[in-house]
Amino acid sequence: MRYQLFLCLLSPVEELFPDLGMSWWTPPNLRLERYARVWPGRVASILTVWTPILSVVAQLMTSPASPIITSCLTVAIFTAFGIRLYVLGKKLDKIFASTTYIALQQSKHETPETKNTDKTSDLVEVKSAFFCFPPGSLEVRQLLKSTDGCPVSVGGLSFDFLEVAEMLYFVVFSSISVIIYTALDDVKWLAFFAVGLILFGAFFMAQFRHRHQLLDVFGRVVFTAGFLTNLYNLNRADNKLS
């Protein structure tokens, strides 16, 4: 058993509790300034989670092209994260500079109730807002929806670089499912099932993070189930080689 795979459990924890600020998507409590401030934690997280996964995946492949495939997967996953980190940072900068956001922050600090709330520690606020949409956050949710990250137009087609990052993640997870499927001897279908759950849960979180609380939570649970199943499959495949 590869005990380093236990490090990968950090990912489902971060997605189950996105108000920690480590999630791929912005937190439900919409503390965007805190989310932008803790970006080094997200960098450390992606390295902690994906280094063991890529290490095991590399061991599962026996073809002469396995080093090239492993390199491509490594470049793709870290490129996806880099794009996401940079473009989302630019998007948040636009929001912080907008007159609407500045006015909201000023009005919040002028409210007596908010002044008392500001004295609450970050940890207490995160604990109290795991599965809650904060009151009065409609304007910020609308800003997130209306502010483009990094739009690009190629050949008449318009897309956002954030979508490129998501496509890279899709390619990496799909490729890993094929590698695991090939390495397993029994219950091989579970390899595709696990990655399907991951992508299905990610879709729900992406679509409903700031639109529907219950569906967002449903996406987190489905993603966690898929991620844990994927780790189980990785461990099974690795044990077969041991």
Side-chain angles (χ1 to χ4, degrees), residues 42-213:
R42 293 196 292 281
V43 173
S45 169
I46 200 75
L47 292 172
T48 301
V49 170
W50 277 97
T51 300
I53 292 177
L54 293 169
S55 174
V56 174
V57 167
Q59 297 298 318
L60 297 181
M61 293 183 288
T62 57
S63 70
S66 58
I68 298 176
I69 297 174
T70 303
S71 299
C72 289
L73 292 176
T74 303
V75 170
I77 198 66
F78 290 122
T79 298
F81 180 76
I83 290 174
R84 177 77 183 181
L85 186 69
Y86 176 79
V87 176
L88 188 58
K90 291 295 184 182
K91 180 174 182 175
L92 291 177
D93 287 342
K94 291 180 184 178
I95 291 175
F96 297 152
S98 68
T99 55
T100 302
Y101 186 84
I102 293 172
L104 284 171
Q105 295 302 104
Q106 290 175 343
S107 64
K108 184 178 74 171
H109 289 297
E110 290 170 0
T111 306
E113 292 82 359
T114 306
K115 288 182 180 179
N116 294 329
T117 305
D118 288 341
K119 298 177 182 179
T120 309
S121 69
D122 282 352
L123 182 59
V124 173
E125 285 200 31
V126 168
K127 283 183 177 179
S128 66
F130 274 152
F131 298 103
C132 301
F133 285 152
S137 63
L138 177 61
E139 296 88 347
V140 181
R141 293 204 299 271
Q142 289 174 338
L143 278 173
L144 272 173
K145 184 177 180 181
S146 62
T147 306
D148 292 328
C150 188
V152 177
S153 181
V154 178
L157 298 176
S158 297
F159 61 93
D160 196 306
F161 262 113
L162 291 178
E163 297 173 356
V164 174
E166 292 169 358
M167 289 173 60
L168 286 173
Y169 254 100
F170 173 82
V171 170
V172 170
F173 271 118
S174 300
S175 301
I176 288 176
S177 69
V178 173
I179 294 169
I180 295 175
Y181 178 87
T182 305
L184 291 174
D185 287 331
D186 58 345
V187 200
K188 297 165 73 76
W189 60 268
L190 204 57
F192 295 127
F193 180 73
V195 172
L197 287 179
I198 290 173
L199 298 176
F200 187 66
F203 171 80
F204 266 77
M205 287 188 286
Q207 294 298 314
F208 300 108
R209 170 54 49 88
H210 300 295
R211 293 168 56 191
H212 196 289
Q213 180 179 349

